[in-house]
Amino acid sequence: MARLAVNVDHVATVRQARLAKEPDPVIAAALAEFGGAHGIVVHLREDRRHIQDRDVAVLRETVKTKLNLEMAATKEMVEIARKIKPDVVTLVPEKRQELTTEGGLDVVHFEQSLVEVVGTLHGAGIAVSLFIDPDPKHIKSAHRLESDYIEIHTGTFAEARSFSRRQEEYERIVTAARLAQKLGIGVHAGHGVDYQNVHWLRGIKEIEEFSIGHSIMARAILVGMERAVREMVQLVS
Ligand code: PXP
């Protein structure tokens, strides 16, 4: 049975839209755990557009399952991770202009510099995951880097418009997951996984954990709407 790690970045996005105190991703994370989440994920971006340093520090104190910190492989972020000590760090590529993470980390290209980053995180007792495209060359590179996990980027699969393209991407994910497991690397998967396409992916037995944010947050806003409005109607009337 695969685990579910819930990404609560969007809660912080709403809070930052008003530079307010609510909604608090820390409370969202606690509720996600009440709902059965096996882990909490946050992405501390260089530009701090949603999650703030305070959020990561408080989540380290409050998360009772596992805290997975997504971050770029920069000096600043490695220092923060060393201090906070999340259970897992997922290294992701990061561009300032992007709306969300676009594609996996090119671990083959950056292998030399990643050796030190992975070594430093391991030295601090932090497990490492690499967010990569389902490509055998990246899996082999992750193996050479002694990464504990890979997170297979499922965005291309999720965005496929035709059945045949989706099938093609699905096959790539299956092949990548099998190779990673054969090499002894734990397999996570995420990006664009939603209530419809998860049916495809949940059958891949090598995937130990799904990292899902947008679709869960989108649904949470809508299923919570009726109650939130009813409570305010009562207060104003
Ligand atoms: N995994 C990684 C590495 C991500 O960057 C994201 C997006 O923050 C996710 C998973 C979750 O993707 P989504 O929000 O589309 O579920």
Side-chain angles (χ1 to χ4, degrees):
M1 231 188 64
R3 298 184 300 266
L4 172 64
V6 177
N7 181 314
V8 296
D9 291 352
H10 280 9
V11 178
T13 299
V14 175
R15 178 192 60 193
Q16 296 310 110
R18 285 285 180 95
L19 298 178
K21 283 196 170 162
E22 59 174 16
D24 192 333
V26 174
I27 296 175
L31 291 173
E33 287 187 327
F34 283 164
H38 303 94
I40 299 299
V41 188
V42 287
H43 184 175
L44 185 66
R45 298 186 73 102
E46 185 196 12
D47 61 11
R48 306 299 198 271
R49 71 171 75 155
H50 41 54
I51 293 294
Q52 306 295 306
D53 297 60
R54 164 269 180 200
D55 300 329
V56 186
V58 179
L59 284 167
R60 175 65 294 179
E61 299 298 320
T62 58
V63 166
K64 292 176 182 61
T65 53
K66 280 191 170 179
L67 179 63
N68 183 334
L69 176 63
E70 281 180 22
M71 57 179 230
T74 62
K75 229 175 163 171
E76 182 204 6
M77 288 298 155
V78 171
E79 269 319 298
I80 290 171
R82 266 159 53 94
K83 226 170 68 200
I84 302 273
K85 293 199 193 304
D87 299 286
V88 183
V89 157
T90 299
L91 296 173
V92 299
E94 198 175 294
K95 295 188 212 119
R96 254 174 197 268
Q97 304 307 323
E98 68 192 358
L99 290 177
T100 180
T101 315
E102 292 167 355
L105 184 63
D106 187 349
V107 282
V108 174
H109 184 75
F110 294 110
E111 194 170 317
Q112 282 303 315
S113 52
L114 285 171
V115 170
E116 194 187 329
V117 173
V118 174
T120 305
L121 293 169
H122 277 164
I126 303 165
V128 177
S129 180
L130 299 170
F131 182 59
I132 55 178
D133 289 330
D135 179 333
K137 70 173 188 285
H138 291 313
I139 316 277
K140 288 176 192 157
S141 172
H143 180 57
R144 287 192 295 275
L145 284 162
E146 298 180 5
S147 189
D148 306 277
Y149 306 99
I150 53 158
E151 182 180 326
I152 298 176
H153 173 233
T154 51
T156 313
F157 160 83
E159 282 157 25
R161 288 284 153 258
S162 69
F163 184 83
S164 60
R165 274 294 295 128
R166 181 159 285 189
Q167 183 76 35
E168 225 173 274
E169 281 306 314
Y170 171 79
E171 298 296 340
R172 287 181 72 210
I173 293 168
V174 171
T175 305
R178 285 191 185 147
L179 174 61
Q181 194 184 62
K182 207 172 123 199
L183 294 171
I185 309 172
V187 182
H188 298 170
H191 216 280
V193 179
D194 63 26
Y195 291 80
Q196 281 75 41
N197 64 29
V198 73
H199 298 296
W200 286 64
L201 301 172
R202 70 176 181 194
I204 304 174
K205 65 178 190 325
E206 289 80 7
I207 299 179
E208 296 167 14
E209 184 172 297
F210 288 98
S211 175
I212 307 179
H214 183 85
S215 62
I216 295 175
M217 296 305 128
R219 184 165 291 220
I221 290 169
L222 295 182
V223 301
M225 184 67 75
E226 206 180 318
R227 178 172 160 189
V229 172
R230 196 173 294 124
E231 285 175 8
M232 187 56 88
V233 166
Q234 275 171 3
L235 288 172
V236 299
S237 59

